[in-house]
Amino acid sequence: MGNAPVELRGFRIWKGYLDGPAQAGLVAALRPVLKAAPLFRPVTPRGQAMSVRMTSAGELGWVTDRKGYRYEALHPSGTSWPAIPDAVLAIWAGVTGLERMPDSCLINYYGADARMSLHQDKDEEDYSWPVVSVSLGDDGLFRIGNTTRGGKTDSIWLGSGDVVVMGGDARLTYHGIDRIRFGSSRLLPKGGRINLTLRVAS
Ligand code: MD6
Ligand code: FE
């Protein structure tokens, strides 16, 4: 689905990869996942509450608390993470062409004031696998920097249905979300933004 990707600092960005019905279908597929594994508010290793709420699907879920950033087989409540919906796996297959499927799907929810500071994704075992992200709901201003902290950055608005592939030389590039445009989409009944990040964690 969608047009050819645009490239920004080594990230491949598929604007409008998912059309409206596909986005709605994805939200419907996520509903039971969020019911089985409710969003929680993570705390950084230094004890700061993050502004996003998160949960996961797949064999492994990314978590953070006072013990550090890591992948865990269980939701903080002690239950297994639900399976990654097939519609989500199909996006991974479509944009990467890989046979290997991700074992982790992090689900981040951004309310009006949520953001994500510049970070690298580096808790995975093998950086040769890409990371794929799917945006749903309100627009988010995505900033991409460099493989070391600092330096010039470029920003691009990610809208509902956009898919980003971070791989190759860009796999360890710093990136983050500066802000969201709350209320810019009507996909989610209560507004806000969902970002899925798909990874081969282990
Ligand atoms: C977000 N995205 O879009 C945050 N990570 O809300 C990420 O942190 C991200 O978009 C790895 C690859 C693609 C991403
Ligand atoms: Fe990231």
Side-chain angles (χ1 to χ4, degrees):
M1 252 185 280
N3 305 305
V6 296
E7 211 195 290
L8 187 60
R9 293 180 173 263
F11 286 57
R12 280 191 299 136
I13 302 169
W14 306 70
K15 298 297 291 180
Y17 187 80
L18 302 170
D19 62 15
Q23 294 166 38
L26 215 48
V27 173
L30 291 172
R31 209 163 281 132
V33 172
L34 292 165
K35 188 160 184 184
L39 294 167
F40 55 92
R41 188 177 296 279
V43 174
T44 67
R46 309 179 80 157
Q48 281 288 322
M50 291 181 70
S51 58
V52 298
R53 292 190 294 149
M54 64 177 54
T55 189
S56 288
E59 301 292 309
L60 294 169
W62 188 84
V63 299
T64 172
D65 56 24
R66 294 306 292 243
K67 290 189 274 182
Y69 301 130
R70 64 200 184 276
Y71 284 93
E72 288 277 4
L74 303 178
H75 184 275
S77 68
T79 60
S80 303
W81 307 104
I84 303 175
D86 287 342
V88 175
L89 296 175
I91 298 168
W92 168 278
V95 296
T96 68
L98 292 170
E99 261 170 55
R100 173 78 182 259
M101 287 295 116
D103 55 12
S104 180
C105 174
L106 176 65
I107 303 168
N108 281 143
Y109 175 77
Y110 295 72
D113 298 316
R115 52 191 286 283
M116 182 156 313
S117 54
L118 285 173
H119 65 275
Q120 292 172 299
D121 287 25
K122 55 176 187 187
D123 298 317
E124 299 72 33
E125 276 177 9
D126 183 348
Y127 302 142
S128 62
W129 299 107
V131 179
V132 172
S133 95
V134 182
S135 293
L136 294 167
D138 290 339
D139 299 339
L141 185 57
F142 190 55
R143 184 194 291 270
I144 306 174
N146 305 284
T147 53
T148 53
R149 265 203 187 282
K152 283 191 179 177
T153 64
D154 284 302
S155 295
I156 183 171
W157 283 98
L158 296 181
S160 196
D162 292 354
V163 174
V164 177
V165 180
M166 179 180 80
D169 291 344
R171 177 61 181 75
L172 290 172
T173 296
Y174 279 86
H175 58 279
I177 292 284
D178 286 344
R179 59 194 163 92
I180 77 159
R181 223 154 28 193
F182 192 81
S184 53
S185 161
R186 288 186 308 192
L187 183 70
L188 305 176
K190 293 175 186 167
R193 173 173 184 268
I194 289 175
N195 182 263
L196 310 175
T197 36
L198 304 169
R199 303 185 177 83
V200 177
S202 144

